[in-house]
Amino acid sequence: YLGCRGSRRITPGCPNYSVIKRSGIKKKGKYGKSNLRWGIRLITGLLLLLVLMGIIIQMPPLQTRLVRILTDGITDRTGVHAEIGRVGVWLPGYVRIDGLFVADHGGDTLIYAGRASASIRMPALLRNHLHIRTLRLDQGVARLTRLQPDSLFNYERLLYAFFPPGNEKAQITAD
């Protein structure tokens, strides 16, 4: 339908105004198609961003930086020596670490794995929770010891550095 002088706009000064008003004809939505287009563009952009992040996270320079961040974080937080040869991250939620070595506070080997792989739940990670579905160690060595005067095992000191006792948010459970 047309309003005044060929435009779609209907104003009280138009000759058709009273007829259109009485007939109940409603004006078409002004923003309907525009909002739909922007919504489609937004969803497409988010999907492309997710795919791009998946591609970028698999680039070797980024993974090398991730290795450095992990080893520095473990060393700074716990005071123990840690080495990681290589990290591989695949979406959705698979992590592989080659050449994992963590020493205990005495300098002895606590954990060594030629390859460690884990499958983690991404929805939990988005809520700042780490939920490991599966954990696999290939060529793995774990030396768990407790010296007599101390009541803690050597691995407990490492765990308490990340999850202090009395912290209600930190829960370590096994299925």
Side-chain angles (χ1 to χ4, degrees), residues 24-175:
I25 297 174
K26 295 188 179 180
K27 205 164 98 168
K28 288 186 180 180
K30 185 175 181 181
Y31 301 106
K33 287 184 181 181
S34 176
N35 285 342
L36 181 63
R37 281 189 209 125
W38 277 105
I40 290 172
R41 288 177 186 164
L42 179 67
I43 290 171
T44 304
L46 290 174
L47 288 174
L48 286 174
L49 181 65
L50 184 64
V51 168
L52 186 63
M53 284 176 44
I55 292 170
I56 289 174
I57 208 165
Q58 293 183 20
M59 297 176 87
L62 183 67
Q63 290 183 356
T64 303
R65 175 117 172 103
L66 182 62
V67 166
R68 195 174 318 124
I69 289 170
L70 284 173
T71 55
D72 291 346
I74 291 171
T75 302
D76 292 344
R77 193 130 190 208
T78 63
V80 299
H81 178 68
E83 292 179 18
I84 298 175
R86 187 174 150 194
V87 173
V89 179
W90 293 271
L91 294 177
Y94 181 76
V95 179
R96 187 184 77 210
I97 300 173
D98 293 335
L100 172 67
F101 171 78
V102 178
D104 63 6
H105 283 80
D108 295 331
T109 300
L110 175 62
I111 298 172
Y112 172 79
R115 176 174 288 169
S117 56
S119 175
I120 58 175
R121 291 196 177 163
M122 291 303 284
L125 194 60
L126 295 174
R127 293 186 315 261
N128 291 331
H129 292 61
L130 178 61
H131 186 103
I132 299 174
R133 280 191 249 167
T134 60
L135 178 66
R136 180 180 173 162
L137 298 176
D138 293 332
Q139 302 167 355
V141 174
R143 293 197 176 124
L144 309 177
T145 59
R146 177 171 53 179
L147 300 174
Q148 283 305 332
D150 195 3
S151 62
L152 295 177
F153 282 93
N154 57 352
Y155 72 91
E156 288 179 307
R157 290 182 187 198
L158 186 67
L159 285 178
Y160 290 156
F162 290 101
F163 308 107
N167 185 354
E168 291 82 26
K169 290 184 179 180
Q171 293 181 357
I172 301 171
T173 58
D175 295 336

